[in-house]
Amino acid sequence: MSDSTARPTPQPTLLPTRAELEQELKQSKRAIPVLKQALELCRQNLEERFRQDENAETLIEGRANFVDMILQLAWNRFDWDENKGRWWTTRISLVAVGGYGRGELHPHSDIDLLILLERNSYQKHASNIQSFLTLLWDIGLEVGHSVRSIQECKAQARLDVTVVTAMIEGRTIVGDEVLFERVTTLIAPNKMWSNKAFYEAKIEEQQERHRKFEHIEYSLEPNVKTSPGGLRDIQTVMWIASRKFGKVDFDSLVELNFLTVGERDILRAGERLLWKIRFGLHLINGREEDRLLFDYQRELAEMFGYEDGDQLAVEQFMKDYYRTAMIVSTTSEMLLQHFNEEMIPGRKDLIEPINERFQLHNNYIEARDPDIFKDYPPALMEIFLHIGANTDIQGTRAETVRLIRQHLYLIDDEFRINPEVTAMFIELLRSSEGLSSQLRRMVRYGILGAYLPEFGRVIGQMQFDLFHIYTVDAHTLQVVRNMRKFRYRNQEQKFPVAAHIYPRLPKIELLFIAGLYHDIAKGMGGDHSELGVVIARKFCHRHGLGAWDTNLVCWLVENHLVMSSTAQRKDITDPAIINEFASLVQNQVRLDYIYALTVADINATNPTLWNSWRASLMRQLYNETKKALRHGVEVNVDKSDYIAETQEHAIERLQENDLEKAEILQIWGDVDEEYFLRESVSNIVWHTLAIKEHDLDAGPLILIEDLASKRENEGATQIFVYTKRRDYIFASIVTAFDLLGLDVVDARIARSKTLAFDTFVVLEGNGNSVGSAKNRIEQIRALLVKHLSQDEASKPKAIDRTPRLLKPFAFKTEVRTSLDPVKNVTVLDVYTPDRPGLLSIVANIFVDLEIHVHSAKITTLGERVEDVFYITGEDGLPIADTSIVTSRICEELDQHIQRESA
């Protein structure tokens, strides 16, 4: 569009001036509509200017100034001098405190007011105060207020540091300014809350606030005000500085040499972005809201002009937020330590040399010379080796952190290929203590992103889903941290196999390198596992790793998802699947490495994923693969031989229980051979003994066993259903499980001509097994019997409304079909957003289309369901026309998701 035809930017709504409002108030009998309309015009003006990309800093200052004017006009409608000239004369003023006192007011932030009395004489002004506050509420102002005398302010401030903090930022809006000046004098550091006491109280506040967010800036739905790296971190720095120097801003702290110009710019830029986000959140919600919930993240990304590309617009927006939060958090931590070192007197300095470049200063490492990094750039890497090697070192001195950040420019291509530096980095990866802590420090100080630019690219990069709860960089560091946990004895109970493997790994640093690089290509487009191999290989070559080491790292990066997907989505009771995985692994060393990497990865992706069931799947796959490798992967187990061996062992054990072979074979009848392929000998014996004693005419047989009781922290609950065969058995059972709040994770369906031998593995909604509580077990058994005794399929019902977290994720259902020529069944993969009742819907579709389910693998990954069904038609053959099944499932699931998300 040419300039001549471009539409001009609309002018924002005009704000009334003070003179205009005063004139209207004189002419009107009622103040409420006049002031209310003025506030509405202000809201419109600010929103229009915000959407035209005006600086949020200007807007929140503008709103504070406009509200000042409204409050002054409202205050002046009352006669506050009605007692003037009498013996009990008491002055009164209106004071802004807190954020409003700073002159910052977001669209729906509370307006914190102090009505300040000269003496404790509330009753003298009670009528006016009540009428004034009622007027403010009537015109729509969200006011938080207190009414105190000067002495009451002093008493409250002495008891509560938050009161002192609010008053530090106070300013008189209307009334005698002398009153608040007297308060300021009474609460000064020489009267109460010394600089040291105030500092310690604010640090404790911040630590408690950070604990709620697990000290992580990268929560899925951060709070822009209170999360680590949020506005409150910046405010804490300014409160402590103000307590020492009086009211200060960023520029004055530079003049006082407590901030460098670079630190000032970091905090100012961070504050502006956080203000912008908070302003937008308030506009979207029409109320005070500081949480960046999933719904709002997408809307803000669009509002701020982000567009989808290799990464989603929302992911680009959140990457900017997370990077800002991290650097704000790091900078504020450094400044608070600086305040601690410089502002609190009476500390004895204990200096202990480390070498010619570094020394310990009260157990904090520091550079002995400000030019040390310029004179010897490898010291930028060396310092972390010292911290990792000496457990007495509590951290890095603030001034040294500054020096590190000021010399990041020295980390160039020449630095990255310096043999001395690369050797130090590999030595760091081999260190026995504090590796994950040092890597985290290196990220926060900017070192790791500069030394490994490929890692710097993924800092703050998130994936817009519930499965990955950390950004790529935070997840990667958590993977390394999890790997380090495997060496501790107290982890043997939770990770028995990994704890056993860890000390056997020939070169532990190779595991850490694979951990650092397994997700390095996220967000580059294409398969990140394949792209990551190229990047990892360059790292290995640059750091002088040999061919065996390099090939192992690259193999781990390329295949880091294979073990988890095999365990969760394939039938690992099938010898062919085990042989296929063993052929990929090739040897025990690779199996040990990939197991350790996979377990660390799952727990770092989302800790809730590592439940007892997944642990048992991983252990089973590891042990069966280990066995296959020992026998030789070239030895293929014949399916018929495997089944015959299973039956033989089961018969032997059943005969020990006084069953005759003919009786056993009669019980088994013509059940599918898959039953003997997929059930363990123990299960077959358990089932057979129970079937012998059960009368099917009395109803179905329901057996419930808690697998977790067999191996602590690993297992689920398996439920065996033996009943007369009907077409709707699967649908009735899974609908009952839905009603019971049980999640199906595995289904092994075996049928004879007249009977069903079905095993379901379930978990409670919290990821735990059902346990041994009799009431719960009987509740499960009773509902299953009821559903299986009905003459028609149990239809799915709405169990609960969709949880809020799931609603933003409503992508289209995708269904894929393929043929398994070995089992001669159709494999149906369903990818869809997680919602209550989905499995029941799919099961009932199978009933309508006369489809038989032979087995199922049910996997929920955050907001995403990835289910696999092995199905045939009524004739027992693969589905001839899968398009009908595919379209029906997609249509009904998408309708259900849309309805539940409404």
Side-chain angles (χ1 to χ4, degrees), residues 710-728:
K710 294 184 175 181
R711 178 179 286 269
E712 192 171 3
N713 292 318
E714 292 192 14
T717 297
Q718 65 174 347
I719 300 176
F720 175 68
V721 178
Y722 175 71
T723 187
K724 293 178 182 179
R725 182 165 179 172
R726 295 172 181 173
D727 290 339
Y728 51 79

Side-chain angles (χ1 to χ4, degrees), residues 318-438:
M318 290 304 295
K319 183 174 185 176
D320 285 346
Y321 166 80
Y322 287 130
R323 288 192 170 207
T324 296
M326 186 186 73
I327 196 166
V328 164
S329 179
T330 303
T331 303
S332 64
E333 282 178 12
M334 183 195 68
L335 290 170
L336 292 175
Q337 183 186 327
H338 185 54
F339 291 156
N340 183 35
E341 294 169 357
E342 301 295 332
M343 293 171 61
I344 300 177
R347 189 192 308 274
K348 184 178 179 180
D349 290 332
L350 298 175
I351 307 296
E352 180 182 346
I354 295 176
N355 62 14
E356 67 273 20
R357 289 177 289 278
F358 298 105
Q359 63 187 18
L360 280 184
H361 188 147
N362 294 332
N363 288 331
Y364 281 77
I365 194 169
E366 70 176 355
R368 300 181 70 173
D369 187 304
D371 292 327
I372 189 60
F373 298 118
K374 190 182 298 182
D375 296 340
Y376 182 64
L380 288 166
M381 187 69 71
E382 178 193 2
I383 187 172
F384 299 100
L385 282 177
H386 290 304
I387 301 173
N390 188 340
T391 55
D392 292 333
I393 298 178
Q394 297 177 11
T396 311
R397 290 265 292 175
E399 195 56 42
T400 299
V401 176
R402 278 181 169 158
L403 287 173
I404 291 172
R405 292 170 63 165
Q406 289 169 356
H407 289 87
L408 288 175
Y409 71 91
L410 294 172
I411 303 178
D412 53 15
D413 288 342
E414 184 178 348
F415 180 95
R416 297 183 190 103
I417 62 173
N418 184 328
E420 195 173 4
V421 173
T422 57
M424 285 181 186
F425 188 69
I426 296 299
E427 184 181 349
L428 181 66
L429 295 179
R430 292 174 180 146
S431 60
S432 59
E433 298 293 335
L435 172 61
S436 56
S437 297
Q438 298 324 308

Side-chain angles (χ1 to χ4, degrees), residues 716-881:
T717 297
Q718 65 174 347
I719 300 176
F720 175 68
V721 178
Y722 175 71
T723 187
K724 293 178 182 179
R725 182 165 179 172
R726 295 172 181 173
D727 290 339
Y728 51 79
I729 292 174
F730 182 76
S732 295
I733 292 172
V734 298
T735 301
F737 288 150
D738 267 345
L739 289 168
L740 290 161
L742 294 172
D743 294 330
V744 179
V745 293
D746 194 16
R748 303 190 291 272
I749 312 300
R751 304 284 163 84
S752 69
K753 290 180 180 178
T754 59
L755 299 170
F757 296 69
D758 297 351
T759 300
F760 293 84
V761 181
V762 301
L763 295 169
E764 296 282 11
N766 60 7
N768 294 330
S769 64
V770 170
S772 57
K774 289 184 178 179
N775 290 344
R776 180 59 167 161
I777 291 172
E778 287 309 312
Q779 180 191 28
I780 294 169
R781 181 177 283 113
L783 192 62
L784 284 172
V785 170
K786 177 183 175 181
H787 277 239
L788 288 168
S789 301
Q790 294 172 351
D791 293 331
E792 59 182 19
S794 304
K795 295 297 182 183
K797 300 174 183 178
I799 313 303
D800 293 301
R801 295 294 297 170
T802 299
R804 176 192 63 78
L805 281 174
L806 292 176
K807 288 187 176 182
F809 304 99
F811 53 87
K812 289 288 186 181
T813 298
E814 182 182 353
V815 177
R816 301 173 189 166
T817 59
S818 59
L819 176 68
D820 185 331
V822 176
K823 295 182 179 179
N824 200 31
V825 296
T826 297
V827 182
L828 183 77
D829 292 89
V830 178
Y831 306 88
T832 191
D834 186 23
R835 293 294 186 275
L838 283 177
L839 188 54
S840 296
I841 292 174
V842 175
N844 276 270
I845 292 172
F846 291 157
V847 171
D848 293 343
L849 297 178
E850 298 181 333
I851 288 172
H852 295 285
V853 180
H854 292 261
S855 64
K857 284 280 190 177
I858 310 301
T859 306
T860 302
L861 303 173
E863 79 295 342
R864 183 181 181 89
V865 167
E866 297 184 0
D867 294 347
V868 184
F869 301 93
Y870 297 84
I871 59 176
T872 62
E874 192 176 21
D875 55 5
L877 298 175
I879 308 297
D881 184 0

Side-chain angles (χ1 to χ4, degrees), residues 532-634:
V533 171
V534 178
I535 302 171
R537 193 176 299 279
K538 289 179 180 177
F539 170 91
C540 293
H541 289 165
R542 177 154 64 94
H543 288 80
L545 272 63
W548 187 89
D549 295 355
T550 299
N551 290 336
L552 175 61
V553 168
C554 292
W555 181 85
L556 288 169
V557 170
E558 183 176 13
N559 296 286
H560 72 274
L561 297 174
V562 175
M563 191 168 194
S564 61
S565 63
T566 300
Q568 294 177 88
R569 295 179 57 79
K570 294 187 178 182
D571 181 6
I572 57 176
T573 62
D574 187 339
I577 297 297
I578 298 299
N579 202 63
E580 177 187 348
F581 182 67
S583 297
L584 171 71
V585 173
Q586 295 185 347
N587 58 59
Q588 183 65 44
V589 172
R590 280 187 170 188
L591 178 62
D592 288 347
Y593 272 105
I594 198 169
Y595 180 89
L597 173 59
T598 303
V599 173
D601 189 20
I602 292 173
N603 281 271
T605 300
N606 190 327
T608 61
L609 293 175
W610 188 252
N611 54 31
S612 56
W613 174 242
R614 284 191 173 89
S616 65
L617 290 177
M618 286 290 294
R619 174 177 50 80
Q620 182 180 347
L621 178 57
Y622 177 84
N623 288 335
E624 292 299 322
T625 307
K626 182 178 179 179
K627 196 183 304 180
L629 290 170
R630 192 182 303 127
H631 293 155
V633 294
E634 71 281 356

